[in-house]
Amino acid sequence: MINDNQLSTIDNQRRGMSVSAEKTLAILDLFHFERRTLTVSEIAEMLKQPQSSVYRHLRVLKEKEYIMETTDGQYRLGYRFLKMARIVRSDNRLMQVARPEMESLMEATKETIILSVRSNYHAVCLDAIQSNRSINVTSEQGGIMPLHCGASSKVLLAWMDYTFVDSLFELGYIKKYLPNSLYKKDDLINNLQSIREEGYAFSDEEIDKGVVAYGIPIRDFNEKVVASLSVAGPRERMLLQDKGFFIDHLKKTGKKIELYL
């Protein structure tokens, strides 16, 4: 059992890590279009930090390729930001392309439409078109969701390899939210296999009580799954409608979005 001294030590370590992270990020904030390169002494002066401390933070940034050192001893932003910029542009492009198609899909189904992407070990709602008949659903723009629950998330997970699924269990990301949550490995793997075979995911009260959803993958020109498109609504209303109605509308909409990716 952890005693008070140990708790104090842990808290101090966390505060120290937070302060260190803030100082490291402060270096990145110094760069802009009119000031693309900086020396250690310039950084130290601007941040009122000793040069030895600046060197330590720069070393971390260099190792992660956020900072580059020039031949004359100056520092500039690294190429890692180019990769990150491509991700942001891709997501923004996807939203621009998908939004009008999602609105049409909402009008056709009269239910909530969700566009999601994977971010490491979670799913993130990139955009959502709420039905006029609102429901209590976790997915709202910017919302973070588990990958193993809900149609929109499971579609993203289905085309990942099994080592990634294993890592979700090993790192403790798999949890039971509701009785229908897929928190056992065999059940989850079998469900993901079915999703790949059938081309769509189905969820019934896996993360939101009273909510049923269908989801399909969105692929880019390389046939890589880059997002999921799903329709969600109240259980009593969704189950009255034939599943083919939702799946057909989802797939037709998905194909229209993929034409621009």
Side-chain angles (χ1 to χ4, degrees), residues 179-197:
N180 289 346
S181 298
L182 298 174
Y183 63 97
K184 295 180 180 179
K185 184 178 287 189
D186 288 345
D187 292 340
L188 179 59
I189 288 176
N190 288 337
N191 188 252
L192 297 178
Q193 178 65 33
S194 297
I195 293 170
R196 289 194 296 272
E197 292 173 355

Side-chain angles (χ1 to χ4, degrees), residues 16-207:
M17 291 173 63
S18 177
V19 170
S20 179
E22 288 177 2
K23 290 181 178 179
T24 302
L25 292 173
I27 293 175
L28 297 177
D29 285 337
L30 297 177
F31 293 90
H32 52 70
F33 277 107
E34 287 73 37
R35 189 168 59 213
R36 301 189 186 190
T37 60
L38 288 166
T39 64
V40 172
S41 59
E42 288 173 334
I43 295 172
E45 183 179 353
M46 291 177 184
L47 297 180
K48 308 301 181 187
Q49 294 182 24
Q51 291 191 22
S52 58
S53 176
V54 171
Y55 271 118
R56 286 197 302 272
H57 297 306
L58 285 172
R59 184 175 67 250
V60 173
L61 292 169
K62 280 178 61 180
E63 289 173 355
K64 300 297 184 181
E65 298 181 343
Y66 289 108
I67 286 287
M68 297 170 55
E69 185 176 4
T70 64
T71 55
D72 58 353
Q74 297 197 78
Y75 292 86
R76 61 190 302 174
L77 294 179
Y79 292 124
R80 173 64 69 91
F81 285 104
L82 289 177
K83 180 180 179 181
M84 297 173 75
R86 285 197 296 271
I87 295 171
V88 173
R89 283 198 299 270
S90 175
D91 286 350
N92 287 341
R93 171 65 176 165
L94 178 58
M95 287 175 62
Q96 291 171 1
V97 168
R99 168 57 77 141
E101 302 299 341
M102 291 172 65
E103 290 174 344
S104 296
L105 182 58
M106 190 275 289
E107 290 297 329
T109 62
K110 307 301 181 186
E111 302 295 354
T112 295
I113 310 302
I114 303 160
L115 181 70
S116 302
V117 295
R118 183 178 67 85
S119 177
N120 293 327
Y121 296 108
H122 295 90
V124 177
C125 176
L126 201 60
D127 201 3
I129 307 293
Q130 299 292 334
S131 167
N132 294 329
R133 302 183 289 183
S134 60
I135 56 172
N136 184 22
V137 60
T138 297
S139 297
E140 57 182 20
Q141 192 172 41
I144 298 175
M145 303 160 288
L147 279 171
H148 68 291
C149 293
S152 60
S153 296
K154 291 190 299 183
V155 164
L156 298 171
L157 184 58
W159 275 269
M160 299 296 293
D161 58 44
Y162 285 130
T163 58
F164 183 84
V165 177
D166 287 339
S167 67
L168 288 177
F169 280 93
E170 292 167 2
L171 295 171
Y173 287 107
I174 305 297
K175 298 177 182 178
K176 182 179 179 180
Y177 294 92
L178 290 174
N180 289 346
S181 298
L182 298 174
Y183 63 97
K184 295 180 180 179
K185 184 178 287 189
D186 288 345
D187 292 340
L188 179 59
I189 288 176
N190 288 337
N191 188 252
L192 297 178
Q193 178 65 33
S194 297
I195 293 170
R196 289 194 296 272
E197 292 173 355
E198 297 173 358
Y200 72 91
F202 170 77
S203 63
D204 182 0
E205 294 189 315
E206 291 183 3
I207 190 167

Side-chain angles (χ1 to χ4, degrees), residues 227-239:
S228 69
L229 182 69
S230 59
V231 55
R235 189 175 192 274
E236 65 274 11
R237 195 163 67 218
M238 294 286 286
L239 294 182

